[in-house]
């Protein structure tokens, strides 16, 4: 029986990015379906910005003073 290897930080961030994108698209599905092509493009850009912001937030090192 082979065990899967430990994934790299890059791989884990890519998985997280994919999950965040999927969740955002599911939440916005109705609005995206009704939107015009231009509005859809703006919405997708905003979703991508939000995802990148969340990834940067999660990549920040944890400072000892922030722990409870």
């Amino acid at each position: 029986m082979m065990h899967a290897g430990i994934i790299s930080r890059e791989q884990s961030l890519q998985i997280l990015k994919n999950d965040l994108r999927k969740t955002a698209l599911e939440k916005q599905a109705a609005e995206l379906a009704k939107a015009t092509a231009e509005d859809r493009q703006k919405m997708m850009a905003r979703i991508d910005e939000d995802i990148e912001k969340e990834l940067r937030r999660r990549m920040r090192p944890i400072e000892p003073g922030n722990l409870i």
Side-chain angles (χ1 to χ4, degrees):
M1 181 170 137
M2 291 192 73
H3 295 283
I6 297 173
I7 63 172
S8 69
R9 182 161 172 81
E10 181 181 340
Q11 289 171 320
S12 67
L13 289 172
Q14 185 62 47
I15 292 167
L16 175 61
K17 183 177 182 177
N18 293 342
D19 289 345
L20 291 171
R21 184 175 179 82
K22 181 179 176 182
T23 302
L25 291 175
E26 288 172 353
K27 286 182 181 178
Q28 302 287 330
E31 291 179 39
L32 285 167
K34 290 188 263 181
T36 63
E38 184 178 319
D39 290 339
R40 192 175 307 117
Q41 205 170 25
K42 289 177 185 177
M43 291 173 72
M44 291 302 297
R46 189 172 61 239
I47 287 170
D48 289 338
E49 289 172 10
D50 291 345
I51 290 170
E52 291 300 322
K53 188 185 303 182
E54 180 64 17
L55 288 174
R56 283 192 301 273
R57 184 186 72 78
R58 292 187 186 200
M59 287 176 21
R60 283 194 304 238
I62 298 174
E63 299 174 15
N66 291 344
L67 297 177
I68 296 176

